[in-house]
Amino acid sequence: MSHIETKCVQSGYRPKNGEPRILPIVQSTTFLYESSEQMGRLFDLEENGYFYSRLQNPTCDTVAAKIADLEGGVAAMLTSSGQAANFYAVFNVCKAGDHVVSSSAIYGGTYNLFSVTMKKLGIDFTFVSPDASREELEAAFRPNTKAVFAESISNPSLCVLDFELFADVAHEHGVPLIVDNTFPTPINCRPFEYGVDIVTHSTTKYMDGHAATIGGCIVDSGNFDWNKYADKFPGLTTPDDSYHGITYTEKFGKGAYIVKATAQLMRDLGSIQSPHNAFLINIGLETLALRMEKHCKNALAVAKYLKDSPDVAYITYPSLEGDKYYDRAMKYMPCGTCGVISFGVRGGRQAATRFMDSLKLAAIVTHVADARTCVLHPASTTHRQLTDEQMREGGIEPDLLRLSVGIENADDIIADIEQALKTIK
């Protein structure tokens, strides 16, 4: 299977003769074995198989394999949410006393995870602009830096990452580049092709596509050579006493990173994806290519309308010609970016509130990137824990509105926006 549309439908689960045509939900906590010896081998990671769904489940593993295939990775692991995926992705290579370089233009919850919660665990973060020069990016590194983190398209500021620059600098310092690829999805962007090592997703968004279930995923490219920098990553390159001295890179090769994340982090922290939620995500994945094309087509039409409206103070949409990130988007995402638009209306915060309250088709919800058009004011919701200065560092103005364009008819979406804009005059 070479085409990504086919992989969306067919990858991961291929039933044999007489088996269910649709991916089954294996709704079981435990799995039966005939001997304690065999189960012991599973616990020792000496044999593949299932014994407890906190670690692995056939439904979840099948969906993870599909997402890995879509991204072009070697292995993947589902988590209970995108937030858990980002935490595990970083924590899998860090410990107390370590340091991470992160783009400042990231989702507010992730920023808080890094700057507050993980700081309490002894892991320090330095935040840099996604538009940092090579010199500015290099200046953020320390001897104890273990990873670089960024978003492919930032939520909600819509900065497009310069993958090759960030990857080059990360690799010059012997650390992996981790990128959250939620907004463009692998349909529109394949970060591994530009040097990214690990990709995360909030599958809650476009992958599910219907606001039906929460989930996350981590995908490993298999390209980062952990053994080359063995002293930086002892958790992967030295014996793990909690698994009878297994060294992950020696035993699992290119699968080492995901095996460690499963065997250590999921075992101990337990942010698991439920089989039923994984089943729902798989249904969403089957139509992902179709929906992303429609989201992007609609968003571009809406963006053009907003750009020409005298009631709109500014607009950001990377696929819109003239946008600050247009050229970079054409380089890394030539077939489209995402269905999310950021803009501000004339009149500031109060006008933004009146505009949102006047929308009829678009709903005010704490969500983004599903089939229905929705809108949110990040400064008073998802990013309200940040100061105005912190928001501006991440490219977010206090009056910014995040519009997630759905798959309805574009004319109906524009008509709703038009009538709402009349209320702010």
Side-chain angles (χ1 to χ4, degrees), residues 205-260:
K205 309 304 189 297
Y206 287 121
M207 285 188 169
D208 166 38
H210 302 86
T213 188
I214 292 176
C217 187
I218 308 169
V219 187
D220 182 17
S221 68
N223 294 330
F224 191 83
D225 188 350
W226 306 103
N227 285 322
K228 184 177 179 180
Y229 308 100
D231 58 325
K232 287 181 179 286
F233 306 104
L236 283 154
T237 62
T238 61
D240 178 2
D241 293 337
S242 69
Y243 269 112
H244 310 290
I246 284 176
T247 299
Y248 292 100
T249 52
E250 289 181 2
K251 188 170 182 61
F252 300 103
K254 288 183 177 294
Y257 176 89
I258 292 297
V259 172
K260 178 181 179 294

Side-chain angles (χ1 to χ4, degrees), residues 130-200:
D131 298 322
S133 66
R134 178 178 291 270
E135 292 72 24
E136 290 169 333
L137 189 53
E138 289 179 340
F141 281 77
R142 303 175 186 172
N144 59 337
T145 300
K146 297 299 177 66
V148 178
F149 181 92
E151 293 178 355
S152 52
I153 300 178
S154 60
N155 176 13
S157 55
L158 304 182
C159 304
V160 176
L161 185 72
D162 188 341
F163 294 100
E164 292 177 345
L165 172 62
F166 271 66
D168 284 349
V169 176
H171 296 158
E172 285 175 4
H173 289 81
V175 302
L177 173 58
I178 304 170
V179 168
D180 184 327
N181 196 37
T182 295
F183 269 14
T185 80
I187 302 302
N188 288 339
C189 182
R190 307 259 291 180
F192 293 154
E193 296 177 3
Y194 304 107
V196 174
D197 301 292
I198 295 155
V199 158
T200 65

Side-chain angles (χ1 to χ4, degrees), residues 302-347:
V302 172
K304 288 178 178 179
Y305 168 81
L306 290 171
K307 184 180 181 181
D308 293 336
S309 172
D311 300 312
V312 174
Y314 61 89
I315 176 173
T316 300
Y317 185 61
S319 292
L320 184 65
E321 194 166 357
D323 186 89
K324 176 181 178 181
Y325 293 100
Y326 178 78
D327 290 341
R328 196 177 291 173
M330 290 303 99
K331 175 181 179 179
Y332 293 122
M333 308 166 197
C335 295
T337 51
C338 64
V340 181
I341 300 169
S342 293
F343 67 101
V345 296
R346 299 195 186 280

Side-chain angles (χ1 to χ4, degrees), residues 345-406:
V345 296
R346 299 195 186 280
R349 280 196 185 212
Q350 290 185 340
T353 300
R354 286 199 304 274
F355 169 78
M356 285 200 307
D357 290 347
S358 300
L359 290 167
K360 298 175 181 178
L361 182 150
I364 302 172
V365 297
T366 310
H367 199 249
V368 67
D370 66 58
R372 304 163 192 83
T373 297
C374 57
V375 66
L376 198 68
H377 181 223
S380 59
T381 54
T382 56
H383 290 65
R384 67 181 298 128
Q385 75 275 18
L386 304 183
T387 65
D388 284 359
E389 181 182 355
Q390 287 174 324
M391 283 192 289
R392 287 193 172 98
E393 286 177 1
I396 305 165
E397 292 297 324
D399 63 347
L400 179 144
L401 290 165
R402 183 186 70 184
L403 180 69
S404 179
V405 181

Side-chain angles (χ1 to χ4, degrees), residues 245-305:
I246 284 176
T247 299
Y248 292 100
T249 52
E250 289 181 2
K251 188 170 182 61
F252 300 103
K254 288 183 177 294
Y257 176 89
I258 292 297
V259 172
K260 178 181 179 294
T262 303
Q264 283 187 353
L265 302 187
M266 196 62 81
R267 175 196 65 188
D268 295 342
L269 299 173
S271 299
I272 63 170
Q273 176 73 275
S274 80
H276 186 260
N277 286 3
F279 172 83
L280 293 174
I281 290 167
N282 189 59
I283 291 177
L285 287 170
E286 291 179 349
T287 60
L288 180 62
L290 298 173
R291 288 185 287 103
M292 289 307 295
E293 182 179 1
K294 180 66 171 176
H295 280 295
C296 292
K297 181 180 178 181
N298 279 357
L300 184 57
V302 172
K304 288 178 178 179
Y305 168 81

